[in-house]
Amino acid sequence: MSQIKTIHNPIGSLERFLDLLLISLIVYMTLKGGTSGACAACKYQRRRCAADCPLAPYFPAEQPKLFQNVHRLFGVRSIVKILENLDEVQRPEAMKSIIFQSYVRDRNPVHGCLGITQQLQYMIWVAEEELKAVNLQLQLYRNGQNHANSHNMMIHEIGEKQEDLTSQLDLGMGLPVNANQGNNTIPFFSPVSETQPQQQPQMSYCNDVNNNDYNPTPDSCKEILNNHNASSAWGQNQFPFNHHNYGFINQNEHCSETKNNNSVMAIQSQLVNLQMASNKQEEEVDAQNYDEIHQFLEIIDDSQSFTETKEVYASSSGESLKEPIDEIGEKELRRAATCFSLTSVN
Amino acid sequence: MSSSYSNYTNSPCAACKFLRRKCTSDCVFAPYFPPEEPKKFANVHRIFGASNVSKILQEVEPHQREDAVNSLAYEAEARLRDPVYGCVGAISVLQRQVLGLQRELEETNADIMRYASCLGGETTSVYGARRG
């Protein structure tokens, strides 16, 4: 029995030795940051990545640049402090926003996220001005349709009255007609009086577009922080760089094309085209490090070109909007005048 | 010694006051964190840390440093108000507004096209009636 024991013990000890060797090897690799060991944060800091490392879930080892950006802007202690004050549920969203903010700061060290905020504010302003112009245009069309309907009725009335007049003239009676009116008999030509007042607001609007200075400031951006509850507007796990159709435009291209085309319709079609172009740009993303972030931010131009182009756009938008509105007014007048001249009383 | 004498008469900047250190003539924070705005530096220091801010300032051109500080102050304040989303929440809100306005523009544009085609048709019919 004792002989059997002596035979088995060396084998058991060998196995134990091998197990210990394996464990020490694993520990060694973990300490050294082995292939599947340390997160990017611990790798960067050259320290052991513990099993309960708070940053490991957010900084995979394959994307070291993400952590470098965050470390450069916030620092490890600050991030850990932020995470400690949040619930488990909120931590992934907080880390996403921190990573995004750091990435933006890396791309634009001067303005960071404030630059994007100001660009968006500018785009909103441009879109609102454009919407005003387009609504005015729509109003003109609506009025034009109403006038077309009333013209049809007027033509019939004039036809009937002409018959009455000729019949009365034949009988020696006449309607009291002002000799000065001639072809410009106004009572039947209501569109002139109705369109003239409408042209004035168009002119004043265009003047406003020319005169308004758009100056986004950090204080105006702070108003957004005050007025909007970001958590309610955020939606569930929605993030700006998850959207693919931002409609953000390269403002250099936008302004040069606006100058050339000079029409509201062209501006709108450009927005649609540039949306499609932004979708194409997304295909060229460096998928290694910044999948979602690139999709959002490649579309955003630098703040320098933004400040250069916004003035150009502000000066050109007024002129571009003015012409189509004037053309519509003139067309209406011509159409109405044509209607009247064919039925005027000589 | 003369530099310290001149700073003795001038009030230290908000950063040096907060950090309780001597504000020298070459203090990197002094031009951008005046003593009248202590909260500005306090926020920035709380979120980003003084050393990170100093490094960022040294990386940008001198004429851009004020803008950099203002943007950092904005982001720090946003992060303090909303620890989860910070200033990125505001970006999301604005982005939704832009999308909403774009949609509205498209709809209005479609209305205009409809009216334009209607008016063109009516004009033709009127002319046709007269000629007929």
Side-chain angles (χ1 to χ4, degrees):
Chain A
M1 288 294 283
S2 61
Q3 287 177 354
I4 294 168
K5 279 183 188 175
T6 54
I7 291 167
H8 283 293
N9 280 337
I11 295 169
S13 62
L14 184 63
E15 283 177 356
R16 261 182 264 123
F17 174 74
L18 286 171
D19 288 337
L20 280 168
L21 189 63
L22 191 63
I23 290 164
S24 60
L25 192 65
I26 290 169
V27 168
Y28 175 79
M29 283 180 70
T30 306
L31 282 169
K32 280 286 186 182
T35 52
S36 60
C39 64
C42 294
K43 262 190 184 176
Y44 184 85
Q45 298 171 82
R46 293 181 188 175
R47 64 176 197 185
R48 189 172 70 88
C49 189
D52 58 347
C53 173
L55 303 178
Y58 315 111
F59 298 106
E62 303 85 42
Q63 298 182 354
K65 188 77 168 101
L66 287 180
F67 179 75
Q68 284 174 26
N69 295 337
V70 171
H71 180 69
R72 202 185 318 165
L73 182 59
F74 286 90
V76 175
R77 204 160 60 166
S78 174
I79 301 168
V80 171
K81 217 190 301 180
I82 291 171
L83 289 178
E84 279 172 359
N85 294 331
L86 296 173
D87 300 331
E88 282 287 336
V89 183
Q90 295 172 314
R91 284 178 193 173
E93 290 297 311
M95 280 313 300
K96 274 188 195 174
S97 71
I98 286 170
I99 290 168
F100 177 79
Q101 196 174 333
S102 309
Y103 174 73
V104 172
R105 180 62 62 173
D106 179 55
R107 275 188 57 150
N108 189 349
V110 179
H111 299 102
C113 282
L114 180 62
I116 294 181
T117 306
Q118 290 175 338
Q119 279 185 321
L120 286 168
Q121 281 187 304
Y122 174 66
M123 289 174 72
I124 288 169
W125 176 75
V126 165
E128 283 175 348
E129 294 294 319
E130 202 172 322
L131 198 58
K132 274 188 218 168
V134 168
N135 279 330
L136 274 172
Q137 206 174 350
L138 186 63
Q139 193 63 35
L140 280 170
Y141 273 113
R142 284 184 181 143
N143 292 340
Q145 199 175 41
N146 292 338
H147 293 149
N149 293 337
S150 60
H151 282 160
N152 290 335
M153 291 170 58
M154 270 192 286
I155 287 164
H156 289 300
E157 287 175 7
I158 289 166
E160 290 170 1
K161 286 186 179 173
Q162 199 172 4
E163 290 173 3
D164 290 345
L165 182 63
T166 48
S167 63
Q168 287 177 3
L169 285 171
D170 291 339
L171 296 172
M173 294 163 61
L175 293 174
V177 176
N178 188 347
N180 293 330
Q181 287 180 354
N183 290 336
N184 297 324
T185 306
I186 300 298
F188 304 119
F189 193 59
S190 54
V192 173
S193 58
E194 286 181 16
T195 52
Q196 275 174 355
Q198 287 171 357
Q199 284 175 358
Q200 288 169 5
Q202 297 162 19
M203 298 301 292
S204 64
Y205 159 73
C206 294
N207 289 333
D208 287 343
V209 168
N210 282 325
N211 293 332
N212 276 346
D213 291 327
Y214 183 77
N215 291 317
T217 59
D219 290 336
S220 65
C221 299
K222 281 181 188 176
E223 285 180 17
I224 300 165
L225 296 174
N226 287 330
N227 295 337
H228 295 281
N229 184 359
S231 55
S232 63
W234 194 256
Q236 293 181 359
N237 295 326
Q238 296 273 332
F239 226 80
F241 47 73
N242 282 334
H243 292 286
H244 297 296
N245 295 325
Y246 303 119
F248 293 128
I249 54 180
N250 182 324
Q251 303 200 7
N252 281 324
E253 295 172 5
H254 184 72
C255 290
S256 59
E257 289 183 10
T258 303
K259 276 186 200 171
N260 294 332
N261 293 329
N262 238 7
S263 68
V264 174
M265 304 293 284
I267 293 168
Q268 293 172 18
S269 62
Q270 284 163 32
L271 279 172
V272 173
N273 290 336
L274 287 164
Q275 258 186 351
M276 293 166 62
S278 72
N279 290 337
K280 286 180 189 171
Q281 285 180 13
E282 292 164 7
E283 296 172 6
E284 302 169 357
V285 165
D286 177 10
Q288 187 177 359
N289 285 331
Y290 307 113
D291 290 350
E292 293 175 335
I293 297 173
H294 261 288
Q295 287 170 10
F296 177 70
L297 287 170
E298 275 201 355
I299 304 162
I300 302 281
D301 205 7
D302 286 338
S303 59
Q304 189 178 2
S305 61
F306 146 67
T307 51
E308 286 171 0
T309 56
K310 71 171 183 180
E311 293 168 0
V312 171
Y313 189 83
S315 62
S316 66
S317 61
E319 296 168 0
S320 67
L321 293 169
K322 194 176 172 178
E323 291 182 10
I325 292 168
D326 284 347
E327 283 175 6
I328 290 163
E330 285 180 11
K331 280 178 188 170
E332 287 295 312
L333 284 171
R334 282 196 206 118
R335 196 180 295 125
T338 313
C339 296
F340 183 74
S341 63
L342 292 173
T343 59
S344 64
V345 178
N346 292 321
Chain B
M1 297 306 288
S2 59
S3 61
S4 61
Y5 176 75
S6 63
N7 283 321
Y8 180 76
T9 54
N10 296 334
S11 176
C13 70
C16 294
K17 257 188 184 174
F18 188 92
L19 298 170
R20 291 180 190 171
R21 66 183 194 190
K22 192 186 280 186
C23 190
T24 57
S25 58
D26 56 352
C27 173
V28 68
F29 299 120
Y32 316 109
F33 294 102
E36 302 84 34
E37 296 176 35
K39 211 175 175 188
K40 188 176 176 184
F41 181 79
N43 291 343
V44 167
H45 177 65
R46 207 166 141 188
I47 298 297
F48 301 118
S51 61
N52 286 344
V53 173
S54 169
K55 282 181 204 164
I56 289 170
L57 287 180
Q58 278 164 8
E59 283 171 8
V60 302
E61 298 292 319
H63 67 278
Q64 294 176 316
R65 285 176 186 169
E66 190 170 359
D67 287 340
V69 165
N70 288 336
S71 68
L72 286 169
Y74 168 77
E75 288 182 23
E77 190 176 342
R79 183 61 62 177
L80 285 167
R81 282 180 200 229
D82 185 356
V84 181
Y85 299 112
C87 62
V88 184
I91 290 174
S92 180
V93 167
L94 291 173
Q95 189 194 358
R96 281 169 190 254
Q97 281 185 27
V98 169
L99 292 174
L101 284 167
Q102 272 188 308
R103 234 176 282 124
E104 208 175 326
L105 268 171
E106 284 168 14
E107 288 167 5
T108 315
N109 197 19
D111 287 342
I112 286 176
M113 298 296 282
R114 253 180 267 127
Y115 274 108
S117 56
C118 285
L119 280 174
E122 284 177 5
T123 308
T124 312
S125 66
V126 167
Y127 281 121
R130 283 201 219 97
R131 284 184 197 133

